[in-house]
Amino acid sequence: MTHATHPTLLFHVDPARNMARFYLLAVEPTLFGGSSLMRCWGRMGTKCQAKRRIDPLAELKN
């Protein structure tokens, strides 16, 4: 089964405060048919930090 993901990319830029950040959210399939929420964030031009939450909607399935 193929799942199409549509990531959401957000930017927050404030030159007066020297702030340039990005945030990425994406729902991705897991190997076992579930879903996971991938979150990435960081300063623009650097490596992002990432967290993945497996099956964030599991409590709604019951």
Side-chain angles (χ1 to χ4, degrees):
M1 181 188 298
T2 305
H3 294 280
T5 60
H6 302 284
T8 300
L9 183 59
L10 306 169
F11 296 101
H12 182 206
V13 179
D14 186 354
R17 294 174 43 193
N18 194 25
M19 184 184 303
R21 297 183 182 158
F22 69 93
Y23 306 90
L24 178 95
L25 299 170
V27 176
E28 299 177 343
T30 63
L31 292 174
F32 303 108
S35 59
S36 66
L37 175 65
M38 171 62 90
R39 298 178 291 168
C40 297
W41 66 92
R43 289 183 57 88
M44 286 186 211
T46 65
K47 247 180 123 173
C48 74
Q49 296 185 39
K51 282 196 174 190
R52 182 180 307 254
R53 183 169 176 202
I54 304 296
D55 208 5
L57 303 176
E59 63 272 6
L60 298 177
K61 290 180 182 176
N62 295 332

